Amino acid sequence: MTAKKMIVIGGGPGGYVAAIRGAQLGASVTVIESNKIGGTCLNDGCIPTKALYKSASLYHAMTETAQFGIHVDGFRLDMAGVQGHKQQVVGTLVDGVAALLKANRIDVISGKAHLMSNRQVAVSTPEGETTVLSADGIVIATGSEPMMPPIEGIDLEGVVTSEQILKFDFVPKKLTIIGGGVIGMEFAGIFNAFGSEVTVVEFADQILGQLDAEIVKRYAVQAKKQGIAIHKQTKAKQIRKLENQALVCTCEGKKGDFDIESDQILVSVGRIPRIRALNLDEAEIKYSLKGIEVTEHFETNQAGIYAIGDCNGKTMLAHAASHQAIEAVDHFMGVSHEHSATPIPSCVFVNPEIASVGLTEEALKESGIAYLKSKFMFGANGKALTMGEGEGILKVLSDKDGVLLGVHIMGPHASDLIHEATLALHQALDVNAIKGMIHAHPTLSEAFHEAVLGLKGEAIHLAPLKK
């Protein structure tokens, strides 16, 4: 029996996972990548920003060692070292992905892909050659790119995207960030820790708009204490450059127009699917400004052609792309399994970290769902206090029967703690299923246990609610 041929367009966390899964199931797989294996996540997104986040966190921690009885003098920020660490991490992971593709006997072609009819793909190589490939199935995994709003002066030197700012070789004295979403706030925290005077301009009435409002409100207080200025319900109207090369962003706020002067401006208002160069019209694939239209198995309107990850606009997270890759390839290869909604955790690497899974309290109210709520403060957690990180909260939401519906964390290692909650939601666990599980002491995970027990008024380290 001849192996099915599969083409994957894009070698990011969706594309390379799709390719490896296809190879595992016996397909003959070719990956087409126009830039670097690993995609935006490994090269220009989540991995390099987390490397910078670690450097920033350590640098900030050096200023607070006295509380642990350690006095350090003369430490300094070495930008070449910071960038070197970032590139070493990125290089290691990219090489690892390339090795995995090779080990799975997956062909990798460097070039730009253009979809044609009849499941054909034209590949334009850097050398100027064009090759047409045919396949039984095609997986589109082209990711996304930064959105650039129509602001006058946005093309001025010193105005950068989230991908461009990663290559910085100096810390701007003043940094303005247009956009208070996840990417914007992560960079705000990084540069604030490095010593920049950071100002965030957010059009909506809340930064981190997809998160639970109570968590965001508490984080905003911490951000202000750290020196990050946040202007909500504010529109960036114009950018201009002064004779001294400083950039001025004119903004429209609730009380009228005002100017923000800075050395550099980061534009981080979101990302859009990278699909313009795919030639979707010729392939008769349906799409909109939000992305390529897909079924529950991530198949487009053309049988055998799938779209996963950011390019379908459903959930712009690397781990969502990887999960969609498995679903799509399994469907293409005839591996059947029951399709069900899977809770997707999200993490924001600020200080303190934020992580969330499931429904927010606002979503429950809007849906009219009766719910229970419990909160546990990290200030009452022994491990958090020994770490000097007592600021934070763990919030649990459940239905009236105690089945967990949402968990929202702001605190130390929130990005690690969220996965016990994700498993609980994935398995539709209730309070009784969780309360009998012993959590080691002293650990941060005890905060989740206590918050869950609090749903039924059984938490030991929470004062009883006043009746």
Side-chain angles (χ1 to χ4, degrees):
M1 181 178 177
T2 304
K4 283 186 176 182
K5 291 184 178 180
M6 188 174 82
I7 294 173
V8 179
I9 304 175
Y16 80 74
V17 170
I20 292 172
R21 181 57 176 164
Q24 288 175 345
L25 296 175
S28 174
V29 185
T30 299
V31 172
I32 303 167
E33 172 55 54
S34 63
N35 193 2
K36 299 175 183 177
I37 287 295
T40 296
C41 178
L42 263 66
N43 293 283
D44 302 300
C46 26
I47 296 302
T49 55
K50 300 316 164 284
L52 293 178
Y53 172 78
K54 178 61 176 180
S55 293
S57 298
L58 283 173
Y59 186 66
H60 175 71
M62 294 296 287
T63 67
E64 299 187 331
T65 58
Q67 67 175 309
F68 300 99
I70 301 171
H71 298 273
V72 180
D73 299 314
F75 67 92
R76 63 184 178 85
L77 185 63
D78 173 15
M79 291 314 306
V82 169
Q83 288 289 355
H85 166 67
K86 182 196 76 176
Q87 288 307 118
Q88 188 272 330
V89 171
V90 170
T92 298
L93 290 172
V94 170
D95 289 347
V97 172
L100 283 172
L101 293 173
K102 183 178 180 180
N104 282 277
R105 298 180 180 180
I106 295 165
D107 293 329
V108 179
I109 298 175
S110 178
K112 296 181 179 180
H114 306 273
L115 287 163
M116 304 170 68
S117 58
N118 301 320
R119 296 184 195 169
Q120 291 184 318
V121 179
V123 184
S124 303
T125 67
E127 294 76 26
E129 299 176 354
T130 299
T131 304
V132 177
L133 304 175
S134 299
D136 302 299
I138 298 171
V139 178
I140 304 169
T142 49
S144 61
E145 58 193 12
M147 181 191 301
M148 298 302 284
I151 300 173
E152 182 183 344
I154 201 169
D155 296 325
L156 288 170
E157 184 180 356
V159 182
V160 296
T161 67
S162 58
E163 295 178 5
Q164 293 168 334
I165 201 170
L166 286 170
K167 301 173 178 65
F168 70 94
D169 56 7
F170 73 101
V171 176
K173 184 177 180 181
K174 294 182 179 181
L175 174 67
T176 298
I177 299 177
I178 301 175
V182 172
I183 297 173
M185 294 313 302
E186 286 188 349
F187 276 112
I190 289 169
F191 280 93
N192 170 260
F194 282 151
S196 292
E197 183 181 322
V198 179
T199 302
V200 177
V201 176
E202 170 55 48
F203 183 75
D205 59 0
Q206 176 182 306
I207 59 171
L208 303 171
Q210 303 302 313
L211 298 181
D212 187 273
E214 182 178 4
I215 297 295
V216 174
K217 185 176 180 181
R218 288 177 179 272
Y219 168 69
V221 173
Q222 295 304 312
K224 185 177 180 180
K225 287 181 180 178
Q226 293 162 15
I228 300 172
I230 300 173
H231 297 280
K232 297 179 292 184
Q233 293 180 283
T234 301
K235 178 182 179 181
K237 296 172 58 178
Q238 180 195 59
I239 300 170
R240 67 184 190 277
K241 182 168 284 191
L242 303 180
E243 290 184 3
N244 64 0
Q245 299 304 302
L247 293 163
V248 175
C249 181
T250 299
C251 302
E252 180 183 348
K254 291 180 287 186
K255 297 182 180 180
D257 289 0
F258 62 96
D259 290 340
I260 303 172
E261 185 176 324
S262 56
D263 305 291
Q264 199 166 40
I265 295 177
L266 167 63
V267 179
S268 180
V269 297
R271 298 179 67 86
I272 56 175
R274 186 181 284 122
I275 58 177
R276 287 176 295 178
L278 284 173
N279 205 22
L280 295 174
D281 291 324
E282 184 173 333
E284 297 182 344
I285 293 175
K286 293 182 180 180
Y287 65 97
S288 68
L289 293 175
K290 295 180 179 179
I292 300 172
E293 297 179 13
V294 294
T295 67
E296 64 178 13
H297 299 294
F298 307 102
E299 191 172 23
T300 70
N301 61 296
Q302 297 296 323
I305 301 180
Y306 298 78
I308 61 171
D310 287 10
C311 69
N312 66 34
K314 287 189 171 294
T315 306
M316 288 193 174
L317 294 169
H319 46 284
S322 298
H323 180 78
Q324 291 176 18
I326 303 295
E327 291 256 346
V329 174
D330 279 5
H331 184 262
F332 167 64
M333 296 297 291
V335 177
S336 61
H337 47 76
E338 185 177 345
H339 178 81
S340 60
T342 302
I344 303 174
S346 62
C347 305
V348 188
F349 291 85
V350 289
N351 181 25
E353 283 185 5
I354 299 174
S356 176
V357 66
L359 297 173
T360 64
E361 187 168 3
E362 292 69 44
L364 289 171
K365 288 179 178 178
E366 290 175 8
S367 301
I369 299 173
Y371 65 93
L372 302 174
K373 175 172 65 174
S374 176
K375 297 179 285 188
F376 190 84
M377 302 300 175
F378 280 99
N381 177 268
K383 180 65 180 294
L385 291 180
T386 65
M387 297 165 63
E389 299 183 50
E391 292 289 348
I393 180 176
L394 197 153
K395 177 177 178 179
V396 179
L397 303 165
S398 76
D399 65 16
K400 287 294 186 180
D401 295 323
V403 177
L404 268 61
L405 299 175
V407 178
H408 310 279
I409 310 171
M410 183 193 82
H413 295 280
S415 60
D416 300 312
L417 293 174
I418 198 63
H419 293 93
E420 182 181 357
T422 303
L423 178 62
L425 265 68
H426 185 258
Q427 296 299 313
L429 300 183
D430 62 9
V431 174
N432 291 327
I434 297 169
K435 75 177 184 179
M437 174 182 167
I438 297 174
H439 289 67
H441 175 76
T443 63
L444 297 172
S445 63
E446 290 176 285
F448 175 69
H449 192 225
E450 290 281 357
V452 170
L453 293 176
L455 291 168
K456 295 292 187 178
E458 298 178 5
I460 301 299
H461 298 91
L462 275 175
L465 295 175
K466 295 180 179 179
K467 296 182 179 180

